[in-house]
């Protein structure tokens, strides 16, 4: 835990939730869904003492009902596994697509395929 806190204090790492029991959020609802979202966030925040504003949907599965509860739980950004380039400033922050990255990727490739098109579309 102390090592994790040290990484967080460095500013190089941020923490996000992934659900309390890593279940498919689209297969549950109501109090069960709320528990998965809110308990995961609260446990992380209480344990490490920092805000947890991010969520990664297990297996990338989400729905409008899930997104509504994610927002209500206080997450500001949530990530899917849908592969898509970020080329617009009109991004739904609760359905952020996955950006592919590999060992062969370079900073140049990242800027060429993701940052530059995004900057162009931002006007």
């Amino acid at each position: 835990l102390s090592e994790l806190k040290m990484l967080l204090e460095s500013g190089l790492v941020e923490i996000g939730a992934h659900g309390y029991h890593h279940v498919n959020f689209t297969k549950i609802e109501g109090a069960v869904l709320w528990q998965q979202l809110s308990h995961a966030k609260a446990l992380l925040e209480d344990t490490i003492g920092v805000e947890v504003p991010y969520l990664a949907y297990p297996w990338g599965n989400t729905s409008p009902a899930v997104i509504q509860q994610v927002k209500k739980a206080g997450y500001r950004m949530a990530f899917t596994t849908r592969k898509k380039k970020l080329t617009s400033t009109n991004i739904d922050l609760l359905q952020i697509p996955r950006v592919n990255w590999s060992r062969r990727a370079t900073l140049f490739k990242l800027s060429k395929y993701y940052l530059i098109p995004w900057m162009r579309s931002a006007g």
Side-chain angles (χ1 to χ4, degrees), residues 99-107 109-110 114:
V99 174
N100 289 334
W101 195 255
S102 70
R103 288 182 180 175
R104 295 185 304 270
T106 64
L107 219 41
K109 182 178 178 183
L110 176 66
Y114 297 104

Side-chain angles (χ1 to χ4, degrees), residues 66-111:
V66 170
I67 292 167
Q68 182 181 14
Q69 292 299 308
V70 166
K71 186 175 184 176
K72 182 179 173 187
Y75 294 100
R76 292 194 314 263
M77 293 178 140
F79 300 85
T80 70
T81 56
R82 184 174 45 117
K83 295 175 183 173
K84 182 179 175 186
K85 289 182 182 181
L86 299 177
T87 58
S88 171
T89 56
N90 189 19
I91 297 167
D92 182 345
L93 295 180
L94 295 178
Q95 294 186 78
I96 298 173
R98 171 177 280 177
V99 174
N100 289 334
W101 195 255
S102 70
R103 288 182 180 175
R104 295 185 304 270
T106 64
L107 219 41
F108 174 75
K109 182 178 178 183
L110 176 66
S111 66

Side-chain angles (χ1 to χ4, degrees), residues 19-35:
Y20 196 77
H21 287 113
H22 196 268
V23 297
N24 183 340
F25 295 155
T26 63
K27 303 288 184 193
I28 58 175
E29 57 186 28
V32 177
L33 175 59
W34 178 252
Q35 180 186 29

Side-chain angles (χ1 to χ4, degrees), residues 4-23:
L4 178 58
K5 287 183 178 183
M6 202 165 58
L7 282 171
L8 289 167
E9 289 170 4
S10 76
L12 297 173
V13 174
E14 293 183 283
I15 297 293
H18 200 48
Y20 196 77
H21 287 113
H22 196 268
V23 297

Side-chain angles (χ1 to χ4, degrees), residues 17-21 31-47 52 55 73 75:
H18 200 48
Y20 196 77
H21 287 113
V32 177
L33 175 59
W34 178 252
Q35 180 186 29
Q36 289 296 314
L37 296 168
S38 62
H39 282 84
K41 188 175 193 321
L43 177 65
L44 286 168
E45 289 177 344
D46 292 346
T47 302
V52 176
L55 174 79
Y75 294 100

